[in-house]
Every structure is written in C-alpha cells, then in structure tokens.
C-alpha cells in the first residue's frame, strides 16, 4: 500500500472510527455562514532516536504523537482549537471552540472532494522500520570508531540517529482532501578534539526524506564523522577573527543560510501583508545585484525541506523570489494569499496539528553563476572566506540579520591563509545582496540538517548557494 | 470554552497519578528492574489582536506521557501524546524494545532513594484565571492601543497577545516516589513598529506571572513596547572599536544562561565547557553572588522536586566570585563522580545579587561605551567561551545616551567577560525566572563599519 490517502485513513481515521460521514459532519460543524475558510489537519507522527556517547549506545527513545487541529477563518480572524483525542465528540467540541470566532450563521454544508497529489518527491515509507534496530546501533558504532580513528586528538564523540514518519491528512471546505506520508531521517556527529590543553568542537551531519539506507550509500555516515573531526582540528589552529567591514567570500552549500535569514523571512507573505517586513511593497524593485536569482523550491526530490504538499494541502512549487536582482514574489499560505489577492505557493506550513499554519520556507537557494570558485577567492586582496555556519537570526522589520561562522579563513592576497575562530556576520537584508559582486558556478545544497524557527514553531528546511563574493559585510571578530 | 477550574484539577491530578501507577506497574510486569515516568496535561487560551481587531483565538489542550525503563544498567524511553490504557501498554513495550539494543552504562540508574522528595511543597504556583475570550481580547486591545497611541511615529503593529495556561504534571518512579501539582502561567505581550523616514524599527515588551493579579497593567506593557520602539528610531552604525559594554538587565540574563550551561553536568562530562575544572575557582570578581531559589513562592521556575524526583534546594552557585557548585542531575553527577545537585531539568529561579547603581549611575560609571538592549544570533561557543553576537542599543558618552545604534557585533570571551564584570545594577525590571540588574563589562570588541 503506498497511496498516502489510504495510509492516512488506515493509521489516523480508522482507529478513531472516523468515516466519510463523520468527516462531513465535522467540517460542516466547523463551517458557518460567516466562515470564509475552514480546515482540519490530522496528524500521526512516529519518531525513533538513538544516541551513542563514549562508545556506548546509551539512550534511545520512541514517541508517538497524534491529533487534529481545526481552524475557522473569517476575514482576518482565525479561530483554532486542537485535540489529541480523535474521537468525534472531542473533535466536535474543538470545532465549536474554533468556529466561535465567526459569530452567527448556520452550519455549513460541505462535501469533501478528493484531489489526488501528483507529486511523489519521496516514497510514503516508514524509515523507522527500514533498518533493523541492531543495524542502527552498528551504524552509530561505526561512526564513533571512524571519528576516533581519524585522529588521536579526538576525545569525545556523540553520534545520534533520528527517523520520523509523519502522516498528515488535510480536509478543507474548499474541497481539499489530501494526504502526505513524510519520511525524515537525520544523523549527527559531534566531536571534541584536544591539543595542548585547548579544546574545540566540530559537528557534522545530514539527512533526507528517505529511509535509513540513505546513510549507508557510499558510507555517507562515515563521511560525516570525518567531516566533524576535520572541523574540530581546523578550529584547534584558528586564530582570533578580524573585526570590521570587509570583503567576504561565502562557500557553497550551507552558507546559503545567508539567503534564508537576509531575504527569505522578509519575503514571507504574512509579514508583507502586515507591512512589517523591510521588503514590504518592494515587488518589482531591485533588491540584489544583477545575476542574483533566488528561489524557494519545495519540489526537490528527497530533500529535507521538500514536501509533496504543504500543510494546507497545496502542492509545493518552485517559487522565484528574486530574478536577476529584481524582487518577484512572496511565499504564501492560503490565508495571506486570499487576503492579498494572490495565489498560495505551497508554503503554508506548521510544526504540528497543535500549531497554526503560516508562510514558511522550504528549500531556499540561489542559482549558479559562471565564475570558478577559485577565481573568486583569488580576486580578494584581504578578506574572509567563510565555509560553515551555525544558526542565524533576522529582525524582519529593520532587515538586520546575523549568522555565525563555524569554519572560516583569512584571505590574503588572493590566497586562503589561516583559519580564524567563528565570528558572527551581520548585515542588512534589503542591502546585502546588492553587494554580491561575483557568483560561482558551484551551486550546492546543504546536507539536510536545517531547522527553521518562527513564532515558536520549528520546521525542517533546506538552503543552498554557489560560492559568492560580497563586498562589505561586517565580521564580528576580536582582532582589529 | 473557559479553561480548567480548580475543582477539575483535583480530579485530573488523581487521574494522572493513576496513569503513573499503571505505567510503573506495567513496567515491572514487562520485566524492568526500575522505571521512572511522567505525565502531564495542560489547557489554555491564547488570543492575539492586531490593529485593534482580533486576529486569532486559540484553545490549547496538550497531553503527554513519558517513561524510561531500566534493565540493570540498560535503559530505553518512550513517549506519547495518547493517555489511553492501550497507549500506556504500548509505550512500555516501545521503551522495552529500545532497551534491548542500548548497552550497559554504569551511570544509567535512578537517583538514590534517600534523595527523593518526600514532601511536595506547596509553592503557590496555581492561580487559574477565569477569563472569557471577550475579556482577553479587550485586555490585549487595550495593551496594543496604549502602544499605538504612545507616539505618532508608531505606525504599525505586530499586535498584542494574551495567554493563560493551566498545567498539571505528575512524576513517579519505582523507588515509590510520586509527586504532582498544578501550575498556571499567564502572559501579555505587545510588539509595535515605528517609522522614521524610510526605515522601520520594531520592539516589544511583556509581562508574565503565575497569578493574573501579578501581571503588569496592560497599558503599561503597551507603553513600554512603544517607548522601546521609538527609542530605536534613527539608529546608526558604529565604527569598529574597543569599548566597555553595558548589558541592559533583560539581555544580561543571557550571560547568566551561558554560565549555567557551562557548569551544567552534561557539558562538563562531555568536556564541552569553557569552565571545565573550575569548581572552587574564582570566575567572577569578589562582589558576585549568584544563587538559586527553587522554592520561591509563585516563582516562574519554582519546583519542589527535579526531573529525577530529587528534592530541590536553594544554593549559591557563585559566592565571593568563586564557583561553589556544578549543576548536576543524577546521570551527569555519576559521570563526574559527584552526587546530584537536584538540578535535573535545569536551574530554578536564578538571582544575581544586585549592586547599588541604578540605570543613570551605571551609565555614568561606564562613561563612554555601548549600552546593549538587544542581541541577535547564536554566536556563543560553549566549548571555548568565545562570544560574538549581533547587537543593537545606544552609544553612550560621558554617561549620557547619544544615539541608537544597530548592525554591529560585540565580541570577546565569556571567561574574560565574567572576570571583567565591573558592576551589576539594581535595575531588574523585567519579568522572568532569572533576576539580574544590568551588567557592566570592562571591555569588548565592537565591529561595525
């Protein structure tokens, strides 16, 4: 059985005794004359995690979460209630609470249609069962051994493996009946290396919407182990980072977190409807240098940030945000699209049934340019080459964003010289991409570890970019 | 749909206690040598208004249980949002299945039975707020209205929101420990947007308390949000330089959090702390005392027992500038060869002893330097103490605020920043479980244009 709707019916609706007529009744109860839109989001999520530390598989956890979130929208007002009990009486009670937002009116008559999803970006599989538990343990032990083998300075290794199957079913009064079965796996390695009393950490990892075999392909898990060790060792030799505004070359891949923070959040439809984003009202204007094209693409097969359909049942798409430097589009969910007279872009996402959906990114990246990355580095007389980053943050109203480097080097006379300690980079979103002066031909996406937080809700995302030269970004080191 | 009342809570507490007993019994039945379990439920109401109109009304209702089984020194855990008897059985089976694959870990065991909390102190943490949706909306609207009418430069709003939650949590283990109690938490937040020319700024303020009568007045919260927003308008950048930095009280809490994370057992046994081997050593100037008060009545982090069932107790973390204790749970304590400090789940109500200086005196003490009112990003390296974060605030000369600043970073190393703490103000004026005045640090690097 690999029809998502059939899987969702079997795992969510059938155990609770919810049939077609119950769903019709529920949606009808949620909808009244004064309600513009209503939807119900059913979710059944299973997660298994394992942690290996000190060479011992010391912890494991299995968790199940299920519930339904019911939403009624009237104009700009949203009523929302959720329940972790899926029996009809509990859901009807939640519907009563949610619909109270729209006063008056009679119960609506809603017939649920069915819009089968065409996209099949990942299989509706259960990654938890994709590998025997003993093999998961063995995989983490190999990761641990590989990290320790890679260098004698490695003192501590923590490796973890997480597999999730998330089944969702969306019903809406616009006729939507859609389901998605979303596998997600992730493996992380973190090491501490010590030398002459100095300690540094290195972390690496990756993931995908796939089964756990993903980590076995070409010994991918072991690559992460070696990468974590390499990062820790680089940092053992790092000197203080420079302070001040300078030319910065960002590496390809994960440094795309720049785009996520500097422009991505500012282009989410809710902030622009409310006029609270520094990008509000700037469609059609130049916000980046020529040659800069940024997209949000939820349709990349198997990627962590991809979805067959978003949490409102809208198929994801490839949305052009910035085209050759000109602001072209925002990311929309149903509510913000309706209120601004635009179309949903498949960006309506939520952390779980217990949260309201809102416009969120999927995989956000910049398209490749034509320059050889080595040529870009060679073009810089004095600057910073930042290759790996931790998290970032943005104030969408002022446009100011930061992101913290975890691997960076000085560039002196066109050559990469010494590693420097992680420093925070700060800039202004509407301005930073106008300072992009060279774009590499080496577009790469991240390894599948990104998680984005907004208004207390976390969702998995992806980022990517080619190597970029930015003329004038502030580097927050200590060395002047 | 009003939220739970006091009568409901007694009944619900008994039901959750029954679930714990069922979980532990089932764990024994499935062969566990020991087990610990927790179960909780909460109900709440959250309303958000924007530009005077209601935006969302959310009714929240969460349940969850978690269990850890021990088979000798192997363990496995499971959790679920489903509290039905079938789910209880399934959770125990799932934890047992996990434990079939985990390996012997000599530190995987319950805390010693003699450390269990024997009395569940009443810390006055439960004050349900029988507020109806309409009233909640009115309060949030009046909060936002106070902000919007504060100054003509307030041109837009992200809105105001009010939330009230009542939660009940019960924990138990096979030592015979069982404890549970209800808690409430109510909050009101407001964020508004100011404009000056083309450029916008946003800031916010909030109030939160166990009892609604302890909340700040709605209009006062709104006015404070607007005042903070207006103060940021016209922000400039700074040139790169070294200068003293004054962390306004509400951002100084982040420095205390970094301290706690560095003396936390898990960071220490993983050797990922810049304060490894610092117990009994001086890490702050002599005037610094930092203490934990888990039994504070109505405290936002108060708790009679920790996540291991161990009785919590008040203690100094730092006295005369010297680190007095690590922050340990049973497992990390065992890994370090030390007894637990009753801190499974973290520290509860941390306070740094305030000094004599008020806000004006602190600025005068600093003379010329940077007053930081907001920090951005995650640039704190717990292993090395290296610190580099985005900042905004005000440039100060000769004790007087000159102009707002933004798009700069401040950088240093936490070890040196702690040692370079010049003064702690007496200006703690924000809600939260961490109580501190502003911190004046002698010198940091500011990076700007």
């Amino acid at each position: 059985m690999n029809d998502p709707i059939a899987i969702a019916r079997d795992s969510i609706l059938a155990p609770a005794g919810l049939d077609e007529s119950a769903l019709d009744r529920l949606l009808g109860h949620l909808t009244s004359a004064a309600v513009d839109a209503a939807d119900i989001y059913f979710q059944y999520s299973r997660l298994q995690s394992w942690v290996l530390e000190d060479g011992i598989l010391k912890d494991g956890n299995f968790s199940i979460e299920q519930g339904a979130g019911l939403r009624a929208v009237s104009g700009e007002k949203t009523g929302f209630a959720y329940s972790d009990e899926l029996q009809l009486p509990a859901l009807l009670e939640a519907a009563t609470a949610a619909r109270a937002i729209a006063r008056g009116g009679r119960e609506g008559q809603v017939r649920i249609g069915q819009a089968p999803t065409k996209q099949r970006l990942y299989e509706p599989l259960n990654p938890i069962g994709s590998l025997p538990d003993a093999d998961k343990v063995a995989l983490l032990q190999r990761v641990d051994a590989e990290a320790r083998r890679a260098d004698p300075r490695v003192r501590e290794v923590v490796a973890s493996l997480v597999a999730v199957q998330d089944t969702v079913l969306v019903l809406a009064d616009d006729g939507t009946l859609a389901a998605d079965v979303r596998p997600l796996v992730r493996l992380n390695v973190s090491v501490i290396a010590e030398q002459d009393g100095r300690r540094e950490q290195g972390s690496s990892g990756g993931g995908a919407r796939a089964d756990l075999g993903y980590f076995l392909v070409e010994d991918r898990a072991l690559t992460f182990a070696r990468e974590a060790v390499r990062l820790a060792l680089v940092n053992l030799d790092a000197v203080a980072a420079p302070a001040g505004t300078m030319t910065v070359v960002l590496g390809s891949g994960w440094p795309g977190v720049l785009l996520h923070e500097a422009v991505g959040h500012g282009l989410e439809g809710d902030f622009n409807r409310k006029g609270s984003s520094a990008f509000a009202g700037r469609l059609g204007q130049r916000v980046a240098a020529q040659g800069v094209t940024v997209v949000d693409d939820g349709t990349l097969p198997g990627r962590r940030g991809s979805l067959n359909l978003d949490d409102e049942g809208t198929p994801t798409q490839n949305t052009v945000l910035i085209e050759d430097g000109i602001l072209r589009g925002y990311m929309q969910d149903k509510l913000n699209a309706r209120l601004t007279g635009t179309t949903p872009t498949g960006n309506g996402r939520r952390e779980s049934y217990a949260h309201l959906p809102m416009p969120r990114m999927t995989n956000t990246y910049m398209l490749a340019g034509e320059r050889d990355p080595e040529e870009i580095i060679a073009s810089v007389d004095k600057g910073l080459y930042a290759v790996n980053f931790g998290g970032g943050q943005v104030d969408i109203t002022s446009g100011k964003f930061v992101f913290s480097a975890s691997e960076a080097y000085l560039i002196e006379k066109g050559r990469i010289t010494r590693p420097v300690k992680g420093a925070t980079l700060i800039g202004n979103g509407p301005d930073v991409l106008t300072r992009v002066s060279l774009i590499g031909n080496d577009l790469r996406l991240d390894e599948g570890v990104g998680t984005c937080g907004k208004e207390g809700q976390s969702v998995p995302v992806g980022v990517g970019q080619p190597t970029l030269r930015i003329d004038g970004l502030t580097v927050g080191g200590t060395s002047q | 749909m009003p939220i739970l009342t006091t009568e409901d809570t007694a009944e619900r507490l008994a039901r959750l206690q029954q679930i714990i007993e069922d979980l532990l019994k089932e764990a024994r039945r499935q062969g566990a040598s020991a087990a610990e379990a927790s179960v909780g439920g909460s109900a709440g109401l959250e309303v958000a208004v924007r530009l005077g109109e209601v935006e969302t009304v959310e009714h929240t209702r969460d349940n969850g249980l978690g269990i850890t089984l021990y088979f000798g020194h192997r363990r496995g855990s499971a959790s679920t949002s489903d509290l039905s008897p079938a789910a209880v059985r399934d959770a125990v089976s799932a934890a047992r299945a996990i434990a079939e694959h985990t390996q012997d870990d000599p530190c995987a065991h319950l805390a010693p039975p003699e450390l269990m909390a024997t009395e569940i102190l009443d810390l006055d943490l439960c004050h349900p707020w029988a507020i109806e949706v309409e009233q909640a909306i009115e309060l949030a609207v009046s909060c936002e209205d106070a902000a919007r009418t504060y100054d003509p430069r307030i041109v837009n709003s992200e809105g105001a929101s009010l939330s009230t939650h009542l939660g009940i949590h019960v924990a138990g283990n096979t030592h015979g420990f069982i404890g549970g109690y209800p808690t409430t938490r109510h909050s009101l937040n407001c964020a508004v947007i100011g404009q000056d020319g083309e450029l916008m700024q946003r800031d916010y303020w909030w109030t939160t308390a166990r009892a609604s009568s302890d909340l700040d007045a709605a209009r006062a919260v709104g006015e404070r949000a607007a005042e903070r927003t207006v103060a940021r308008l016209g922000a400039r950048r700074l040139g790169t330089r070294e200068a003293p930095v004054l962390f306004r009280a509400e951002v100084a809490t982040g420095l205390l959090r970094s301290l706690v994370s560095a003396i936390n057992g898990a960071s220490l046994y993983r050797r990922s702390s810049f304060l490894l081997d610092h117990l009994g050593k001086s890490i702050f100037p002599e005037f610094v005392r930092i203490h934990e008060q888990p039994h504070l009545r109505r405290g936002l982090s108060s708790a009679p027992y920790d996540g291991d069932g161990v009785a919590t107790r008040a203690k100094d973390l730092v006295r005369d500038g010297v680190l007095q204790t690590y922050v340990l749970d049973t497992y990390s304590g065992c890994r370090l060869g030390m007894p637990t400090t009753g801190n499974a789940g973290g520290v509860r109500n941390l306070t740094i002893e305030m000094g004599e200086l008020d806000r004006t005196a602190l600025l005068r003490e600093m003379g010329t330097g940077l007053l930081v009112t907001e920090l951005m990003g995650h640039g704190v390296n717990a292993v090395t103490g290296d610190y580099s974060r985005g900042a905004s605030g005000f440039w100060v000369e000769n004790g007087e605020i000159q102009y707002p600043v933004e798009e700069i970073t401040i950088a240093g190393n936490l070890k040196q920043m702690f040692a370079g703490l010049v003064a702690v103000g007496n200006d703690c004026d924000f809600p939260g479980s961490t109580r501190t005045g502003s911190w004046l640090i002698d010198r940091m690097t500011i990076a700007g244009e």
Side-chain angles (χ1 to χ4, degrees), chain A residues 48-50 52-66 76-85 93 97-98 101 103 133-134 137 141 155-156 158 192 194 199-201 243-245 271 273-278 353-356 391-398 400-402 404 421-428 474-480, chain B residues 1 50 53-64 67 75-82 94-95 97-98 101-106 134 137 156-158 193-194 200-202 232 237 240-242 269-276 331 335 374-379 381 383-384 386-391 406-413 445-449:
Chain A
Q48 188 195 50
S49 65
W50 301 92
L52 182 140
E53 192 175 287
D54 309 308
I56 299 175
L57 198 288
K58 57 175 246 186
D59 256 323
N61 185 63
F62 182 79
S63 77
I64 295 180
E65 265 201 64
Q66 63 170 31
E76 296 192 27
K77 301 183 172 76
T78 299
F80 180 59
Y82 57 89
S83 170
D84 46 27
E85 287 167 31
E93 189 189 337
I101 195 79
R103 294 224 177 64
D133 288 344
V137 175
Q141 281 166 337
R155 279 287 303 261
E156 304 285 333
V158 181
I192 298 276
E194 286 192 27
R199 286 188 314 279
E200 292 284 354
Q201 184 176 40
T245 299
F271 298 134
R273 170 173 67 83
K274 296 173 183 177
S276 61
S277 164
Y353 67 88
H355 300 84
L356 276 168
Q393 192 184 336
V394 63
D395 175 335
I396 49 120
T397 303
S398 71
K400 305 300 177 262
F401 69 90
V402 298
S404 298
K421 287 184 184 179
T424 286
L425 274 54
I426 190 162
N428 181 32
T474 301
V475 179
T478 54
S479 167
Q480 290 188 59
Chain B
M1 188 169 77
R50 180 172 171 268
E53 298 284 336
V54 58
E55 195 170 47
T56 59
V57 175
E58 294 190 43
H59 300 273
T60 73
R61 193 174 279 270
D62 296 284
N63 290 306
I67 181 148
R75 68 178 167 191
S77 306
S79 60
T80 174
S81 58
D82 184 353
I98 295 277
H101 296 281
T102 54
Q103 295 164 297
D104 268 338
D105 179 345
E134 285 307 320
I137 291 169
N156 198 350
S157 173
E158 284 194 354
I193 293 170
M200 296 190 293
Q201 295 286 350
R202 161 200 183 279
R232 294 171 73 135
R237 304 192 64 199
T240 301
R241 66 190 69 182
E242 279 195 7
Y269 82 72
R270 290 177 182 141
R271 303 182 68 78
S272 46
S273 161
F274 65 95
L275 290 179
L276 213 57
Y331 182 81
R335 293 296 306 271
E374 183 162 316
L375 289 164
M376 284 178 81
H378 313 278
N381 184 330
V383 182
T384 60
D386 287 329
Y387 186 99
S388 170
R389 298 188 70 187
E406 64 177 359
E407 204 184 333
I408 53 173
T409 62
I410 54 172
N413 182 281
T445 305
I446 301 167
E449 52 190 6

Side-chain angles (χ1 to χ4, degrees), chain B residues 80-97:
Chain B
T80 174
S81 58
D82 184 353
L83 305 188
S84 67
V88 163
R89 263 193 321 276
D90 290 350
V92 172
S93 302
R96 190 191 60 192

